Amino acid sequence: MQSSANISQPKLPRLEIDPFSESFLTDPFRYHPQMRDVGPIFWLDSIGAYGVARHEEVTQVLKNHETFVSSRGVGLADFAKEKPFRPPSLLLEADPPLHDRTRNLMNRIVAMPVLKALENDWRGKAKTLVAELIEKDTFDAVTDLAEEFPMRVFPDAVGLMDEGRDHLLTYASIVFNAFGPKNEIFHSGMADADAAISWVTEACKRENLKPDGWGEAVFQSADRGDCTHAEAERLVRSLLSAGVDTTVNGISNLMYGFTQFPDEFGKMDTSQSSTRRAFNEGLRWRSTVQTFFRTAAHETSLAGVTIPEGSKVLTFLAAANRDERRWDNPEAFSVTRNASGHVGFGHGIHVCLGQMVARMEADALLSALREKITRITSAGPPVIRLNNTLCSIASLPVKLEKVG
Ligand code: HEM
């Protein structure tokens, strides 16, 4: 697939791969070796953007937030030229100094003491769900477990209104599709968009948030002058866009790992260090967030290649997480591996704000499962859900083997 080198930039290989095609998104891992091996940076004709797929260059781009900015959008659209489909995120699509202010504020909303206060409740809810599931012969690890658990804990933590919470999953899939081109996948995801977008808009308003959740806490920060009330609404929206589908698919992909490597589940124990390691490995092995773009704020050079101002650079997080230059035996899912250093939660100043939230959900669920289960095996073929950014599974039939 590699054609002749770019004449003006001799070091730049060109790839004909379309990273937003159905074939690529169905199995991106099949294409990653070629992307990593062709060179540290390449040009993607299909989208008119640079790409980086090795761990070294992906982390370099993400670390260098002054050159590779987020405020021009972390999708294919350049906000300097195109109006985004919604007002930009004050976190994900912002640069310092605005980002410093909003990030500091939001770090306090999901700080460790806040999370610790919820831990027992989440562990109890995980045990209840597992008790329900082990009664079944087989079940769907996506709909019955990976979607069910975050939906039982996350909307309550934010303090969302009870009615219409299912819109959260639709909304998140719209947001993550919108980082890619306006292809068929994007358009089919827009089918229920209006209802989901208006539900989320309403849900972020102060009058619709419950008094003891993270959402109201953001508005209390606004009362203290840390942000405006309009900004508070948009910051609550960030929790809703980024906090559900990511975790759902993080858990789904981990369950898929257990079915593909059936001896791994039993190597985990119920301790937090063990469940945390397993979750990290799941995010490395099959990264939920596959890609994010950055835009060059000025002309720069990366791996010897000159990148003009305004260029989009696509960072392949999932490919970096299986880079054999960084990991031993990267294709293997191994729950005892120390996967720290993976970029499944990003890297640099935009590294996932909610990673402790996601980790606490996973810890609760995995330890509840491990207490009762020795093995998770496949009970039917998985169904992939196409999304322009997320590695998503629609259905994963599984069977559990009980302890004793
Ligand atoms: C397994 C679950 C999750 C994964 C894989 C994930 C992944 C990511 C990644 C890769 C980024 C970096 C974006 C970039 O560099 O442009 C990010 C940022 C972010 N995440 Fe997560 N995330 C997860 C869960 C959550 C949760 C539960 C929340 C909310 C409580 C959340 C909120 C955010 C926010 C607000 C940002 C933007 C941070 C910033 O720009 O400073 N995420 N996440």
Side-chain angles (χ1 to χ4, degrees), residues 269-342:
D269 62 46
T270 56
S271 69
Q272 200 180 64
S273 60
S274 184
T275 55
R276 196 149 286 196
R277 211 169 249 250
F279 186 51
N280 242 1
E281 172 65 350
L283 291 170
R284 182 201 67 80
W285 179 70
R286 203 172 155 86
S287 301
T288 301
V289 177
Q290 289 275 310
T291 51
F292 265 129
F293 285 90
R294 293 294 189 262
T295 313
H298 51 80
E299 185 180 289
T300 186
S301 153
L302 184 67
V305 169
T306 302
I307 300 181
E309 181 277 329
S311 305
K312 283 280 175 179
V313 181
L314 185 54
T315 63
F316 287 86
L317 306 177
N321 282 340
R322 289 198 190 184
D323 183 358
E324 59 281 9
R325 294 158 194 79
R326 173 66 177 76
W327 313 96
D328 290 334
N329 197 10
E331 303 298 321
F333 169 75
S334 163
V335 297
T336 48
R337 180 200 297 272
N338 178 0
S340 56
H342 74 76

Side-chain angles (χ1 to χ4, degrees), residues 89-350:
S89 161
L90 297 168
L91 288 157
L92 187 71
E93 293 156 336
D95 298 327
L98 169 62
H99 179 266
D100 294 341
R101 178 167 66 81
T102 53
R103 179 75 193 219
N104 285 338
L105 184 165
M106 291 302 281
N107 279 342
R108 290 195 293 272
I109 302 295
V110 290
M112 263 334 271
V114 177
L115 294 182
K116 279 279 163 205
L118 292 170
E119 191 174 4
N120 279 343
D121 178 50
W122 289 14
R123 285 189 181 273
K125 285 180 171 153
K127 284 183 181 177
T128 306
L129 176 59
V130 169
E132 289 164 21
L133 294 175
I134 53 178
E135 293 304 313
K136 303 181 181 188
D137 185 32
T138 62
F139 64 90
D140 191 322
V142 174
T143 50
D144 298 336
L145 185 144
E147 288 181 1
E148 185 64 26
F149 184 62
M151 289 300 283
R152 284 190 192 185
V153 296
F154 187 78
D156 283 339
V158 180
L160 295 181
M161 53 194 187
D162 296 319
E163 199 119 310
R165 288 175 171 191
D166 283 349
H167 286 303
L168 284 171
L169 290 169
T170 315
Y171 182 74
S173 102
I174 297 166
V175 170
F176 282 98
N177 269 331
F179 294 129
K182 294 197 171 41
N183 54 12
E184 194 39 45
I185 299 167
F186 168 84
H187 288 299
S188 63
M190 290 304 276
D192 306 317
D194 290 348
I197 293 171
S198 44
W199 185 86
V200 165
T201 309
E202 284 305 304
C204 294
K205 292 185 176 154
R206 190 175 204 169
E207 62 268 28
N208 293 325
L209 289 161
K210 296 186 183 174
D212 52 356
W214 301 340
E216 168 58 20
V218 178
F219 280 94
Q220 286 172 8
S221 294
D223 293 343
R224 289 192 294 273
D226 298 338
C227 65
T228 67
H229 287 87
E231 285 175 332
E233 241 170 67
R234 242 200 280 177
L235 289 169
V236 175
R237 193 193 67 185
S238 285
L239 294 176
L240 306 198
S241 320
V244 188
D245 227 14
T246 48
T247 319
V248 167
N249 285 300
I251 297 168
S252 302
N253 285 319
L254 179 64
M255 293 299 140
Y256 180 63
F258 288 135
T259 62
Q260 294 299 296
F261 295 82
D263 292 336
E264 289 304 304
F265 186 82
K267 292 182 190 164
M268 193 178 63
D269 62 46
T270 56
S271 69
Q272 200 180 64
S273 60
S274 184
T275 55
R276 196 149 286 196
R277 211 169 249 250
F279 186 51
N280 242 1
E281 172 65 350
L283 291 170
R284 182 201 67 80
W285 179 70
R286 203 172 155 86
S287 301
T288 301
V289 177
Q290 289 275 310
T291 51
F292 265 129
F293 285 90
R294 293 294 189 262
T295 313
H298 51 80
E299 185 180 289
T300 186
S301 153
L302 184 67
V305 169
T306 302
I307 300 181
E309 181 277 329
S311 305
K312 283 280 175 179
V313 181
L314 185 54
T315 63
F316 287 86
L317 306 177
N321 282 340
R322 289 198 190 184
D323 183 358
E324 59 281 9
R325 294 158 194 79
R326 173 66 177 76
W327 313 96
D328 290 334
N329 197 10
E331 303 298 321
F333 169 75
S334 163
V335 297
T336 48
R337 180 200 297 272
N338 178 0
S340 56
H342 74 76
V343 288
F345 280 126
H347 183 77
I349 64 166
H350 292 279

